[in-house]
Each structure stands twice: as C-alpha cells, then as structure tokens.
Amino acid sequence: MEGLASSRIIPIQASWKRHCSAFLPTFSLHLRKNLNRGQVWMMKRPKSLDLIAASVQPLEASTTSHFDNKQPSKEVLELWRSTDAVCFDVDSTVCIDEGIDELAEFCGAGKAVAEWTARAMGGSVPFEEALAARLSLFKPSLAQLQDFLEKRPPRISPGIEELVKKLKARNTNVYLISGGFRQMINPVASILGIPQENIFANQLLFGSSGEFLGFDDNEPTSRSGGKATAVQQIRKARKPGGADLFICYAGVQLREAVAAKANWLVFSFKDLINALE
C-alpha cells in the first residue's frame, strides 16, 4: 500500500489502551510514518499515491480537551479528499468487536483469550507470539468456525458502510488490513463490496477432518509490523515509509498515546464522510 515516487499515505488507526486495527473507535493519521494495528489508508491516483490507514477501538471515558488535533488542518483535509486508496483496520474499527475474542467466547475460552488480547494491545508481547498463544487456548475447529459465522454475523461500525460507499463513488480504492482472519473478514468485505484481493489478513489452517492446525505465518499481518508491510506492498514499495497522514478514530475507545500523534482525531465516521463533501 505504498505509493509512487511522490506518493503519500494516510493511515487511520484506532486508539486503544495499546493498540487498536482497528473499531469503532479511534483513528490516527501520521505523515510518512509506519502504522500499528488498526488503520485506514488512502492512495492518490495521478502522479502521487496517497494512502490512508484507519483503525478503531472501544472508547473509554477520557478527557479529550487537551488534544489540539480534533479539527483537521487544510493540508489534512486536502489529503483526505484527494487520496486514491484507503486502508481500514477491521477489528474495533470496521467492526465494533475484536474478532478473535468473539470467536474464543463462542468456543468457551473468552476470558482467557481477552486477557491475552489486552497484553497484545499493550505491546508487551510480539503479535505473532500473542496470536499463537490465544489460538492455542481454544484451537477452533472448522465446524466451530462455520457455526460461529452462521450464528454471529459481523457487527459493522456505524457509518462505515456509508463512508465506504462515498469513497467508492469517488473512485477511491478501499482495502482491509487486519491481524484477524480472512474467514471472518470475508463476510465483512462482502457487506461493504470490497473485493477479496483488497484484503490483507491472516488465514486459519485446518486438517482434512476440520481439525485446527494453526495459522499461515507467511502472511505479513501475522507478525508485528505486518500492517505497515501490507501498506508498503500496496504502494509497490516505490517509496520508503508508511502513510503520509495518520487519522486516529476514537469512536469506541481512546488510546491517548496514539491520539496525541495523530494529524486528525475523530470520534465518528460521520466526520470523515462530511469532510468528503
């Protein structure tokens, strides 16, 4: 998701107590910076390729009066309106839940896995280690996953469908970048009309009898820093660095460390929708 020679990237990331991807929560935009989990990116078409990454997380009670980035600058608005591609984190951003936590709860291991998720969000454990540890606690079978998908349809964040529609009407490419699993993200992409090739996520692996085998560690999003790698792949690695603009979405949860670094802090997807008009 990297741009061309003079391209710019805009990541929208959720602000959580450690990480976000995502969200209905928090967006963050960084200029030419690599992004953490949960983000939305956008790219510009002509001579430059702008990428915006976004990610959301649950909003906790927090004082926001000390943030001076709740109103976008003219430059930030221009980038947002002229980008060619946007990349969204999924968990706690496009969707209001953390997918792996929901699947674990469905399989009877919700509390233990949620505790691990909190540690992973805090950055105290490498993402790949935390992912393997969480899955090992409940080892979902293919049958359990299919049952989960049938009984627990994705809960889409308010405003995201309208925002994606608006972006597509402007011929802006939309991507989903997630540390979650393709099997759970495919239904979300279908709802939003996002093609499968625009999904960067992990893959659960199963044996011939449907038994859990693990996850595909060849996926860039299976490792720490994987989302930034995915962004770079989108931009064809023709320019070093991550996104040019970082939007922090705090509609669900506010992670102050992330919000403080954002070029634009928003609490509703409606703010992004209105800024396009």
Side-chain angles (χ1 to χ4, degrees):
M1 296 179 182
E2 289 285 328
L4 304 178
S6 61
S7 69
R8 290 173 292 187
I9 304 181
I10 303 175
I12 303 175
Q13 174 176 336
S15 132
W16 220 47
K17 268 323 179 184
R18 155 29 218 201
H19 161 50
C20 136
S21 120
F23 76 101
L24 204 125
T26 321
F27 277 111
S28 302
L29 285 178
H30 291 299
L31 292 179
R32 294 187 178 84
K33 298 234 176 167
N34 289 327
L35 308 174
N36 293 325
R37 175 180 179 279
Q39 303 163 335
V40 175
W41 295 266
M42 298 194 306
M43 293 182 253
K44 197 173 182 180
R45 241 182 315 280
K47 296 181 179 177
S48 68
L49 184 59
D50 294 340
L51 183 60
I52 295 180
S55 157
V56 186
Q57 309 242 347
L59 181 62
E60 347 176 282
S62 177
T63 302
T64 61
S65 59
H66 58 288
F67 289 109
D68 59 5
N69 54 357
K70 289 183 287 184
Q71 292 299 321
S73 66
K74 181 179 179 181
E75 179 186 11
V76 166
L77 284 175
E78 288 177 350
L79 283 171
W80 173 244
R81 291 166 178 165
S82 63
T83 191
D84 288 324
V86 178
C87 308
F88 289 90
D89 193 355
V90 178
D91 292 331
S92 297
T93 301
V94 167
C95 295
I96 64 175
D97 303 311
E98 286 290 324
I100 191 171
D101 290 357
E102 293 297 304
L103 178 59
E105 189 273 329
F106 184 80
C107 295
K111 183 177 179 181
V113 171
E115 290 173 352
W116 258 102
T117 296
R119 292 179 63 187
M121 296 296 178
S124 60
V125 181
F127 180 77
E128 56 271 32
E129 182 180 327
L131 182 60
R134 286 179 287 174
L135 287 170
S136 70
L137 291 173
F138 65 109
K139 299 180 179 178
S141 67
L142 179 58
Q144 286 177 310
L145 175 62
Q146 292 173 334
D147 194 29
F148 170 81
L149 292 174
E150 180 180 344
K151 296 177 179 177
R152 300 277 187 91
R155 297 199 294 166
I156 304 299
S157 294
I160 188 63
E161 288 187 77
E162 183 182 355
L163 176 55
V164 170
K165 242 180 232 182
K166 288 270 188 186
L167 291 169
K168 291 170 69 176
R170 298 167 69 93
N171 294 320
T172 299
N173 293 302
V174 178
Y175 295 83
L176 298 178
I177 302 180
S178 175
F181 307 109
R182 289 179 182 275
Q183 291 96 330
M184 299 169 68
I185 293 172
N186 287 340
V188 177
S190 179
I191 291 171
L192 299 177
I194 297 173
Q196 297 293 302
E197 59 267 26
N198 284 17
I199 299 174
F200 287 75
N202 294 312
Q203 183 84 18
L204 288 171
L205 302 177
F206 301 97
S208 57
S209 299
E211 72 275 18
F212 173 75
L213 295 180
F215 62 91
D216 185 357
D217 59 10
N218 290 315
E219 294 284 0
T221 52
S222 70
R223 302 179 292 276
S224 295
K227 290 178 183 176
T229 299
V231 171
Q232 292 167 356
Q233 289 181 2
I234 290 177
R235 296 185 70 176
K236 307 295 185 183
R238 297 180 67 174
K239 180 184 176 185
D244 289 317
L245 181 62
F246 186 44
I247 300 174
C248 179
Y249 174 68
V252 176
Q253 181 161 349
L254 177 65
R255 180 183 166 206
E256 297 203 9
V258 174
K261 297 176 182 177
N263 295 102
W264 187 9
L265 171 62
V266 302
F267 293 84
S268 170
F269 280 122
K270 198 68 179 176
D271 294 336
L272 299 178
I273 293 170
N274 293 338
L276 291 173
E277 299 173 347

